[in-house]
Amino acid sequence: MVITTKNLNLWYGAFHALKNINSGIEANRITAIIGPSGCGKSTLLRVFNRMNDLIEGVRIDGEVLINDINILDSRTDLVGLRKKVGMVFQRPNPFPLSVYENIVFGPKVHNLANKYELDEIVEHGLRSVLLWDELKDKLKKPALGLSLEQKQRLCIARLIAVKSDILLMDEPCSTLDPQATQRIEELMRELKNNYTIIIVTHNMQQAARVSDEAGFMLLGELIEFGQTQQIFTTPKDKRTEDYITGRYG
Amino acid sequence: MERHFDAELKELHKEILKMGALAEEAIFKSIEALKNRDKNGAQEVIDTDNRIDELELAIDERCIDLIARYQPMAGDLRFITTGMKINAELERIADLAVDMCQRVLELTDKPLLKPLIDIPKLSNIAQKMVRDSIDSFIKKDVDLAKTIVLSDSQADELRNRVQEELVNDYMARDSSTASRAVPLLLISRHLERICDHATNIAEDVIYMVEAKVVRHHLEELG
C-alpha cells in the first residue's frame, strides 16, 4: 500500500467531516472517491498532502501512512510532502507565466535542476502529458492563453516536473467538454504506469470508466471500498447501491 | 482517437471467437467419435465441456463489467448485448455436442444399425452453419448472416428424413432395433438444434450490424 489511513477523523470546528476512515490505496492504480456533495471526499483527498492545514479550526487524529511514514506527524516536512504528493484542481490554475516558466517553476524553487537540465524537464513534462507536439514551438507563450484542456494538462506536467509520485485530482474534468474529458482520462491511464492517482469526482460514470478501485463516501464515512468492477456491479452496501443507481436522497 | 474502451471490446471479440472455435471443435469431435465408434473421443468431449462453461461465465462477466463501467451506446451497446447472446448460444451448442457424445457412448458397444449417410451430411451442415455464423459476426457480414437464416430449412428436412427412415424402416418393423435407433434419432435432433442456435447467432448479427430485428420476423430479411 502506498497510502494507508488508520482511524482517521477530521473536524472543522465542531463539524465531524471525516469519521474513522480506514483505507489502503495501492501504487500505480487509479483510485476514485465518489459520493454526494459534502460527503467529505475532497476533505479526504486534501488530507493526503495536508492541504487542510491551511483551514482554520481543523483538527485531525488517526494516522495517514504514505510509504509507511505518518504524514500527520507534526515534524512532517510539508514542502517535501506536497512535492511528492501533488494536486490537480477542478479549475486549471496555471501561473500567469509562459508555458516554459510554469513547468520550471517547481524545479527552480526546489533546486532540482541546473539551467541546462531545465529544458529537458520541460520536454519530459510536456511529453508525459501529450502536449509536446502541440506546444514545443509555443513555450514562450503565456499559459493563460491555452485551452482549458491544455491548461489542465500543463498543471499535471508541473507535478511531473517536481517528480511527484502521487497525483491527487479533485474533479479534474468538471470544466472540460466530453472530448477533452475523454482525452484526460486516456492520459490518466498512461500516467498510472508511473504514478499513483487518486481522483475525486461527482461524475460516477467517469469513476466507473477510469478507476481500478473505488470508494463511496457518505456523511463523512467511507461506506464501501473495493475494486471498481465490484462496486459498480455488485456493491455490498445498500447505501452504495442506492447512490450509484440514482436512488439516493 | 482510439478509446481505451476499444481495447476492451477487442478482448471481448477475441473471447467470443475462442468460444466459437471450441464449440465448433466439440461438434466435429462428437461426429468423429460417432463415425469411428470411439468411446475415448466421446468421453473427451464430455470431460472438456467445463472449459467452455468457464469461458461462458468469463465472457458474461466481462460484458456486465463493460456495461456497468462504460455505459455503452448505439453500436457499442448492440455489440456487447449481441456478444452476450451469442455466448449463450455457443454454450448451448457445446452442450448439444456433449449430448451427442452421451448417445455415442450408448451405441459403441452395440452393432451398427445401418451405415451413417444422412447424419454426417446433417453434421456437415451444422458445422458449416456454426462456422459461418461466427464468420458473419467477425466480419459483420449481414449477407452471410442472411444466408444462414435461410438455410436452416435444409437442416430441418434432413432431420425429418433421418427420423422417418429410423421410425418407419426400423423401429416400426422390428421394435428390438429401438435401443440402437433412438440414439441416432436423438443425434439427428441435437444436430438440428445446433443449426437453430447458429440461426439465432446469425439473427443476432443482423441486429448488431443493422439494428434490425429479424427474429420471429423473417419478412424483415428483405
Side-chain angles (χ1 to χ4, degrees):
Chain A
M1 294 294 164
V2 169
I3 304 179
T4 308
T5 63
K6 293 184 183 171
N7 304 322
L8 174 68
N9 283 278
L10 182 146
W11 290 264
Y12 293 123
F15 177 64
H16 197 173
L18 294 178
K19 297 172 185 167
N20 214 30
I21 307 279
N22 289 287
S23 68
I25 289 169
E26 289 186 58
N28 302 114
R29 311 277 279 176
I30 300 175
T31 301
I33 305 172
I34 57 170
S37 297
C39 70
K41 53 192 190 300
S42 290
T43 298
L44 178 62
L45 194 71
R46 289 197 297 258
V47 168
F48 298 142
N49 71 350
R50 297 265 308 261
M51 291 272 287
N52 293 307
D53 287 18
L54 305 169
I55 300 168
E56 210 175 317
V58 163
R59 187 161 62 84
I60 307 180
D61 72 28
E63 284 184 3
V64 175
L65 304 175
I66 295 187
N67 295 328
D68 299 324
I69 295 165
N70 184 11
I71 60 147
L72 298 184
D73 192 296
S74 57
R75 288 162 297 181
T76 299
D77 163 22
L78 291 183
V79 174
L81 173 69
R82 289 175 190 149
K83 181 158 81 72
K84 188 179 170 60
V85 185
M87 185 169 264
V88 178
F89 296 87
Q90 188 168 359
R91 214 165 176 49
N93 54 352
F95 304 126
L97 301 168
S98 69
V99 169
Y100 187 95
E101 286 300 327
N102 259 276
I103 295 176
V104 300
F105 193 89
K108 277 183 179 171
V109 169
H110 293 293
N111 281 322
L112 287 180
N114 61 41
K115 63 178 180 179
Y116 304 106
E117 287 162 338
L118 291 177
D119 288 352
E120 281 174 29
I121 288 175
V122 170
E123 180 169 345
H124 172 68
L126 289 177
R127 279 195 189 283
S128 300
V129 297
L130 313 177
L131 267 186
W132 177 249
D133 289 336
E134 281 169 57
L135 296 187
K136 63 183 174 196
D137 301 322
K138 298 175 185 164
L139 297 178
K140 301 292 172 203
K141 297 265 190 220
L144 294 180
L146 300 176
S147 73
L148 272 173
E149 182 195 349
Q150 288 173 324
K151 283 180 191 164
Q152 198 60 302
R153 284 173 185 267
L154 183 67
C155 291
I156 298 171
R158 275 198 318 217
L159 301 181
I160 289 167
V162 293
K163 300 190 165 64
S164 294
D165 297 329
I166 299 170
L167 308 180
L168 307 177
M169 300 188 168
D170 193 352
E171 299 278 2
C173 301
S174 62
T175 60
L176 304 179
D177 66 33
Q179 280 73 34
T181 297
Q182 193 187 332
R183 288 191 293 266
I184 293 284
E185 287 175 7
E186 296 296 339
L187 174 63
M188 289 169 70
R189 289 191 186 95
E190 287 278 315
L191 290 173
K192 80 168 179 180
N193 295 320
N194 298 311
Y195 303 88
T196 301
I197 298 175
I198 307 168
I199 175 173
V200 157
T201 175
H202 269 120
N203 180 339
M204 246 179 322
Q205 285 75 23
Q206 176 170 56
R209 279 193 302 265
V210 84
S211 69
D212 302 297
E213 267 93 34
F216 168 59
M217 290 186 71
L218 185 66
L219 302 170
E221 282 181 68
L222 182 61
I223 304 293
E224 189 167 347
F225 188 87
Q227 285 197 347
T228 301
Q229 180 191 9
Q230 177 260 312
I231 295 277
F232 283 93
T233 55
T234 49
K236 293 193 178 90
D237 194 291
K238 186 165 185 313
R239 291 167 291 179
T240 312
E241 171 129 9
D242 285 349
Y243 181 71
I244 61 177
T245 54
R247 290 190 181 91
Y248 171 78
Chain B
M1 179 175 124
E2 170 135 317
R3 306 163 302 171
H4 177 73
F5 184 41
D6 293 321
E8 300 256 17
L9 292 178
K10 270 183 203 157
E11 282 305 308
L12 173 60
H13 201 261
K14 254 195 251 170
E15 281 184 342
I16 293 171
L17 294 194
K18 188 172 170 198
M19 187 82 181
L22 289 174
E24 199 187 323
E25 188 187 0
I27 310 170
F28 174 75
K29 283 185 170 170
S30 46
I31 292 302
E32 285 300 296
L34 173 67
K35 285 198 279 195
N36 303 325
R37 305 169 70 72
D38 176 3
K39 239 181 192 172
N40 292 338
Q43 193 60 49
E44 190 197 324
V45 173
I46 295 169
D47 293 343
T48 52
D49 185 53
N50 59 346
R51 275 190 312 168
I52 298 177
D53 293 344
E54 278 163 23
L55 186 56
E56 185 209 10
L57 295 178
I59 290 174
D60 255 359
E61 194 180 329
R62 185 185 283 279
C63 290
I64 291 169
D65 175 48
L66 290 176
I67 292 170
R69 298 187 60 186
Y70 293 93
Q71 303 90 44
M73 297 293 165
D76 293 335
L77 180 62
R78 294 201 307 276
F79 173 70
I80 295 172
T81 51
T82 303
M84 285 181 95
K85 285 178 163 184
I86 291 178
N87 186 35
E89 302 287 354
L90 290 170
E91 193 274 335
R92 285 297 301 137
I93 288 173
D95 277 352
L96 287 164
V98 168
D99 289 343
M100 288 199 287
C101 285
Q102 281 162 345
R103 303 293 84 77
V104 172
L105 290 179
E106 291 165 15
L107 287 171
T108 43
D109 291 335
K110 296 169 187 158
L112 196 60
L113 181 66
K114 61 179 278 298
L116 299 172
I117 300 162
D118 284 335
I119 285 183
K121 275 188 203 159
L122 185 53
S123 162
N124 286 342
I125 292 175
Q127 284 178 71
K128 183 171 173 4
M129 282 178 74
V130 172
R131 195 179 314 125
D132 285 352
S133 70
I134 297 297
D135 264 0
S136 73
F137 171 70
I138 300 169
K139 297 173 187 154
K140 296 188 170 154
D141 184 342
V142 172
D143 291 335
L144 181 58
K146 284 179 182 168
T147 316
I148 297 162
V149 176
L150 295 171
S151 66
D152 189 40
S153 55
Q154 248 185 306
D156 293 344
E157 282 163 23
L158 212 45
R159 180 213 47 198
N160 291 342
R161 208 159 79 194
V162 172
Q163 288 189 357
E164 276 163 25
E165 187 190 8
L166 288 169
V167 172
N168 300 337
D169 298 354
Y170 293 90
M171 290 196 282
R173 288 181 189 171
D174 175 2
S175 61
S176 71
T177 59
S179 65
R180 287 177 292 158
V182 169
L184 290 177
L185 200 138
L186 287 172
I187 286 172
S188 71
R189 165 80 182 144
H190 297 327
L191 285 169
E192 186 272 329
R193 286 296 300 148
I194 287 174
C195 296
D196 288 344
H197 288 294
T199 306
N200 290 348
I201 292 175
E203 289 169 344
D204 290 337
V205 169
I206 295 169
Y207 171 70
M208 178 180 81
V209 180
E210 293 191 336
K212 199 151 91 179
V213 179
V214 297
R215 190 170 281 205
H216 315 303
H217 294 281
L218 277 183
E219 70 280 4
E220 289 286 331
L221 271 179

